[in-house]
Amino acid sequence: MILHRIHAGNFRNIENETVEFCEGANLLLGDNAEGKSNLLEAVYYFARGKSFRGATDREICRFGTQHYEIEASFSAGGREQTLFYRYYNGIRQRKRNGAPVEKAGEMIGIFRAVLFFPEHLQMIKGSPAERRDFLNIAISQISPSYITLYSSYVRVLENRNSILKTAQKGGPFDGEEFEIFSERLAEYAAAIAKERYRYVREAAPAAGQILSELSGGREELTLRYDCEVEEDEKDEMKRKYLALLLSDVRRETAAGFTLFGAHHDDLYAAINRKSARDFASQGQQRSLTLALKLAEGEVCRRQCGEYPVFLFDDVLSELDPSRRRFLLSELSGRQILMSACEEGGLSDMKAHIIRTKKGKYEAVSL
């Protein structure tokens, strides 16, 4: 998959720019707050369907405006394609190859990208929710239907929690409706867990090999999906989830929310058989995060037939020279979009340089 160009109008501080990229390494150079991350945010919007910074459409609009638009031109599977998104005062318009697209989820999985930005370096020591987010995003790009599945799970979970919250406050408890939502939640949880088990099983060898190479063979990775229900046939997993969901309604009512399900699971990692979350050094955390991100690209290649586009937002400055060299070596031959404040440590890398200043982008010869 190769991104040829991105157009952005009224996107953050970008008034009206079209930026072209080469097939190898592309380096966005500029001071802080000049627009490097904004451009990567626009690119990644087409991979995830929303801002990786958690911003709303209204917040993305350039100051003083109520609208923005972005368009990506890329090749995937041997075909030239375009994706277009426009927001205007609450109205959203989506197009794929010029044809209207009704739902945001229908655009996911067409353009695929792996994003790595400084906040990801906290993933190993962070909360289980951060690691579940990593799994959800990675799986959704290779299996777009996962987004619909997970959205359905969240919707049913909210309904079930509402019943529990009402009962906690002394209101009526609708047992029949509660059982219906519990059964639906169990069905969705089983399907989500199956997808997560499958992804971790495929990503683990790639991540383990990368971590071993990074450490000179000194570090061995154990990676597993920590789930309340063991992997089995989907119907059996659903049965076990339902049994859990109906096992302690009194305690759930006292809590006012659901105590069991896929929203409590975790991605467990150990280095040399010691929990990475509890014992990994800062350097090991960075190596492991890097390994997981590179493995995400490998799984995508195996599942979809080609590498995704790799986006690195100001991460190189967070890595020591050895990890930086390893990263650039591993990504050789793949398309990369990187942002950096200076060329330090990158002088030996052949890259297409794009100077960035105040939302303007100027290409520099290789």
Side-chain angles (χ1 to χ4, degrees):
M1 178 166 289
I2 299 296
L3 176 67
H4 300 300
R5 69 188 62 84
I6 186 86
H7 169 77
N10 289 329
F11 188 97
R12 299 287 192 180
N13 72 333
I14 307 172
E15 182 176 3
N16 185 28
E17 292 286 310
T18 298
V19 183
E20 297 191 350
F21 305 100
C22 73
E23 294 188 7
N26 299 266
L27 181 60
L28 297 164
L29 280 179
D31 294 333
N32 289 326
E34 296 290 353
K36 304 187 304 295
S37 297
N38 295 345
L39 193 67
L40 295 181
E41 182 181 19
V43 172
Y44 195 63
Y45 209 101
F46 290 112
R48 192 179 175 189
K50 59 182 178 180
S51 164
F52 68 78
R53 292 158 153 173
T56 65
D57 279 329
R58 185 67 192 88
E59 292 168 337
I60 289 173
C61 295
R62 193 168 66 92
F63 183 75
T65 71
Q66 295 182 318
H67 63 94
Y68 74 84
E69 65 179 39
I70 49 177
E71 184 172 23
S73 301
F74 60 98
S75 56
R79 293 178 54 210
E80 299 296 319
Q81 301 197 54
T82 61
L83 289 173
F84 173 86
Y85 180 73
R86 186 172 191 262
Y87 171 85
Y88 184 84
N89 197 25
I91 300 173
R92 295 166 177 83
Q93 182 183 26
R94 306 174 184 89
K95 293 181 181 179
R96 178 186 181 185
N97 301 329
V101 175
E102 186 175 336
K103 298 178 181 178
E106 295 175 7
M107 294 180 72
I108 307 300
I110 300 169
F111 175 78
R112 294 178 294 275
V114 171
L115 172 71
F116 191 9
F117 68 118
E119 284 82 351
H120 285 150
L121 293 169
Q122 308 303 318
M123 179 173 63
I124 304 304
K125 290 281 189 178
S127 69
E130 294 179 61
R131 292 181 288 278
R132 288 194 299 271
D133 282 347
F134 164 74
L135 290 175
N136 290 338
I137 292 169
I139 295 170
S140 67
Q141 291 205 60
I142 58 178
S143 180
S145 61
Y146 182 84
I147 298 173
T148 302
L149 171 64
Y150 190 75
S151 297
S152 298
Y153 179 87
V154 171
R155 186 169 58 253
V156 173
L157 178 64
E158 290 172 348
N159 288 328
R160 191 177 189 272
N161 284 345
S162 179
I163 293 174
L164 291 169
K165 179 63 70 175
T166 298
Q168 181 198 46
K169 294 179 178 180
F173 180 82
D174 190 330
E176 183 178 350
E177 189 174 31
F178 183 78
E179 288 195 17
I180 291 172
F181 284 133
S182 296
E183 184 170 359
R184 288 179 183 171
L185 197 67
E187 180 181 353
Y188 292 139
I192 287 170
K194 286 284 284 185
E195 291 284 352
R196 289 174 175 173
Y197 270 119
R198 185 181 299 117
Y199 180 84
V200 174
R201 188 166 54 249
E202 185 163 358
Q209 180 179 344
I210 293 166
L211 185 65
S212 178
E213 291 174 1
L214 262 171
S215 64
R218 295 186 303 274
E219 294 174 349
E220 180 182 353
L221 174 65
T222 301
L223 195 67
R224 71 167 185 257
Y225 177 47
D226 265 2
C227 181
E228 297 164 323
V229 171
E230 291 184 0
E231 188 175 18
D232 206 330
E233 294 298 322
K234 193 178 295 183
D235 287 345
E236 181 62 16
M237 292 177 71
K238 175 186 174 181
R239 185 191 67 77
K240 291 179 179 178
Y241 266 120
L242 184 58
L244 274 174
L245 290 167
L246 299 178
S247 66
D248 205 344
V249 179
R250 180 175 296 180
R251 188 158 68 96
E252 285 195 313
T253 301
F257 55 86
T258 301
L259 298 175
F260 310 99
H263 59 294
H264 289 292
D265 296 341
D266 198 356
L267 176 65
Y268 173 82
I271 298 176
N272 295 336
R273 294 176 294 282
K274 291 183 178 180
S275 166
R277 184 182 183 187
D278 297 326
F279 298 105
S281 67
Q282 188 176 68
Q284 287 175 320
Q285 293 175 54
R286 291 175 182 235
S287 293
L288 180 50
T289 305
L290 188 57
L292 290 173
K293 283 294 175 179
L294 292 174
E296 182 182 347
E298 285 298 325
V299 174
C300 186
R301 179 187 63 81
R302 293 172 192 165
Q303 294 286 329
C304 305
E306 57 190 356
Y307 279 112
V309 177
F310 290 83
L311 309 176
F312 292 86
D313 186 19
D314 201 26
V315 171
L316 296 179
S317 62
E318 301 286 336
L319 301 176
D320 60 39
S322 64
R323 290 183 178 85
R324 188 185 303 171
R325 285 193 297 270
F326 178 85
L327 171 64
L328 297 177
S329 173
E330 280 291 301
L331 291 173
S332 177
R334 307 168 205 177
Q335 189 179 37
I336 324 163
L337 277 60
M338 298 179 291
S339 67
C341 290
E342 56 184 52
E343 295 182 62
L346 302 173
S347 57
D348 294 334
M349 183 184 72
K350 185 178 181 180
H352 176 49
I353 307 297
I354 302 170
R355 297 283 179 184
T356 306
K357 188 171 184 178
K358 296 181 180 180
K360 300 287 186 180
Y361 305 88
E362 181 183 1
V364 179
S365 298
L366 291 174

